[in-house]
Amino acid sequence: MDYERIQVECYSGYKVNERPMAFTYQDHRWEIEEILDRWYEGGIDPARPEVIYFNVKTNECRIFVLRYLSLFDSWSMGI
């Protein structure tokens, strides 16, 4: 899967960027209605920085995969 950088608005609770709440893609703002799934890669091994994936459903009933790269504080979307 390829990923494209996006801007994401997040909820920050006990940690920064805990979960996405909305994102902008191709000049359209998508509000997230539900997080369907989330999974992690890396994080334990210092050679592999933590990557968090979110499978989200928007208010328009579209499904997207969002990825957060903690090392770069960067969000992207699977295309």
Side-chain angles (χ1 to χ4, degrees), residues 9-21 68 73 75:
E9 299 166 38
C10 295
Y11 169 80
S12 295
Y14 72 95
K15 66 179 186 174
V16 175
N17 295 331
E18 189 173 323
R19 69 175 184 272
M21 299 186 67
Y68 178 65
D73 190 26
W75 286 89

Side-chain angles (χ1 to χ4, degrees), residues 7-57:
Q7 295 296 316
V8 177
E9 299 166 38
C10 295
Y11 169 80
S12 295
Y14 72 95
K15 66 179 186 174
V16 175
N17 295 331
E18 189 173 323
R19 69 175 184 272
M21 299 186 67
F23 62 95
T24 302
Y25 175 65
Q26 295 182 340
D27 297 324
H28 180 75
R29 184 175 181 275
W30 301 85
E31 290 191 32
I32 295 171
E33 179 177 304
E34 180 180 0
I35 295 175
L36 302 171
D37 194 12
R38 96 174 59 185
W39 63 99
Y40 304 84
E41 285 183 359
I44 297 173
D45 180 357
R48 295 188 61 212
E50 182 181 56
V51 181
I52 307 170
Y53 296 88
F54 295 88
N55 191 15
V56 300
K57 179 180 168 185

